[in-house]
Amino acid sequence: MAEENKSGCSGNCSSCSQNCSSRTQESLLEPTGEYNNIKHVIGVVSGKGGVGKSLVTSSLAVLMQRMGYKVGILDADITGPSIPKTFGINSRAMQNEIGILPAETKTGIKLMSINLLLEDKESPVLWRGPVIAGAVKQFWHDVVWGDLDYLFVDCPPGTGDVPLTVFQSLPLDGIVIVTSPQDLVSMIVKKAYNMAELMKIPVLGLVENMSYVVCPECGEEFKIFGSSTDTIAEELNIDLLGKMPIDVNVAKMVDNGNFEMYENIYLQTAAEKIEEKTK
């Protein structure tokens, strides 16, 4: 890169004919469909499963929709899809001559998930990594997203094939890392952070889920899993976007397909910071 800078590299590959390392990396990006105009793509990742990544993805999408933006969710967790259930969508996706049509939630959030393409939503997806990665690319290219201000990509946990595909193939504006507050998770957060650093993807911040539970009798907060995320955020010099408690109302709304009615005051600041960071 030093030699490229000395030669006057502006960083804009569209106006350059040189076959340098930057151009090679950019060539991995997959184009979206010709009918799509997607302004911002945000990945939501976690180093391990079970920390509430899909919940955070859904929450951020709902909050951005309430802020007046056109929003979509690409469910890239092919083997463990949960987004349609969260929004109470049980119908299969339709297709016309120009592509696959995403489902729409009650408030107009567009979403695509492998569960919308299966005859039986409880059927396991027994695919190997390259096929799963191909499905994610198909969701990006073949789905008719139309005009979107924000597309949130719900990645599967870890640093395997699908997160790598999302990082390399989609024009990410940044990622949000979801974690829970156990000390053990700090190592896992760093794995996700270091992957983003290696791929030169901006880390917009951390969201801590299951931060505490509120006693229904006295209102006192109990941090049953500890409180390590503040330290991790400070160590990595990234923003702690928000903390979500354990809330029994969330499970009820997901089971009833009414998640869009959930007043998630805990991540409102997170949505506003994402808006600010992507302007």
Side-chain angles (χ1 to χ4, degrees):
M1 288 302 294
E3 293 181 1
E4 292 165 8
N5 289 335
K6 287 179 181 179
S7 64
C9 176
S10 65
N12 183 3
C13 297
S14 64
S15 61
C16 176
S17 60
Q18 296 298 315
N19 190 24
C20 66
S21 59
S22 296
R23 175 172 292 279
T24 302
Q25 182 176 4
E26 185 181 356
S27 68
L28 296 174
L29 292 176
E30 293 282 336
T32 190
E34 62 178 305
Y35 298 98
N36 297 339
N37 177 26
I38 303 171
K39 295 180 181 178
H40 301 293
V41 183
I42 308 296
V44 183
V45 306
S46 62
K48 65 182 293 295
V51 297
K53 170 185 50 58
S54 296
L55 174 65
V56 170
T57 302
S58 302
S59 297
L60 291 174
V62 169
L63 289 167
M64 298 300 283
Q65 179 86 350
R66 290 176 185 170
M67 292 164 64
Y69 291 107
K70 296 177 182 178
V71 180
I73 301 175
L74 191 162
D75 188 356
D77 195 349
I78 303 297
T79 59
S82 59
I83 297 296
K85 171 68 174 177
T86 301
F87 290 95
I89 295 177
N90 298 306
S91 59
R92 296 184 65 190
M94 304 298 290
Q95 186 171 358
N96 62 18
E97 65 278 3
I98 63 174
I100 304 170
L101 303 179
E104 288 198 24
T105 68
K106 298 179 182 70
T107 62
I109 297 173
K110 296 180 180 180
L111 63 88
M112 177 51 61
S113 170
I114 194 66
N115 259 13
L116 301 179
L117 302 177
L118 300 175
E119 290 188 12
D120 182 359
K121 63 183 179 181
E122 296 180 356
S123 296
V125 178
L126 303 177
W127 298 346
R128 295 191 183 276
V131 180
I132 294 175
V136 173
K137 291 181 182 180
Q138 185 177 10
F139 287 173
W140 168 248
H141 182 271
D142 294 349
V143 172
V144 185
W145 295 104
D147 293 325
L148 290 180
D149 296 306
Y150 288 93
L151 178 66
F152 289 93
V153 182
D154 183 22
C155 294
T159 55
D161 283 337
V162 173
L164 182 60
T165 296
V166 171
F167 279 34
Q168 288 184 323
S169 302
L170 274 60
L172 292 175
D173 289 87
I175 64 166
V176 174
I177 302 175
V178 182
T179 182
S180 54
Q182 299 101 314
D183 286 336
L184 173 64
V185 177
S186 63
M187 176 184 67
I188 307 300
V189 169
K190 291 175 183 177
K191 285 181 181 292
Y193 174 84
N194 289 334
M195 180 180 181
E197 286 285 289
L198 287 172
M199 303 296 295
K200 302 188 186 308
I201 303 296
V203 178
L204 302 178
L206 284 175
V207 170
E208 181 183 274
N209 189 32
M210 297 182 283
S211 296
Y212 55 90
V213 63
V214 178
C215 174
E217 299 295 330
C218 66
E220 185 176 353
E221 296 180 2
F222 293 95
K223 297 181 179 180
I224 57 178
F225 293 123
S227 56
S228 62
T229 307
D230 296 85
T231 303
I232 302 169
E234 183 177 353
E235 180 181 344
L236 298 177
N237 193 29
I238 55 179
D239 289 337
L240 181 56
L241 299 175
K243 296 185 177 184
M244 287 185 63
I246 298 172
D247 189 344
V248 295
N249 292 319
V250 172
K252 292 179 181 178
M253 288 186 168
V254 169
D255 289 343
N256 295 328
N258 292 324
F259 182 75
E260 285 165 293
M261 304 300 293
Y262 181 56
E263 295 294 333
N264 192 341
I265 60 174
Y266 312 104
L267 293 187
Q268 182 61 52
T269 300
E272 292 169 358
K273 286 185 177 179
I274 289 173
E275 177 189 41
E276 179 183 345
K277 288 172 180 283
T278 55
K279 281 185 177 178

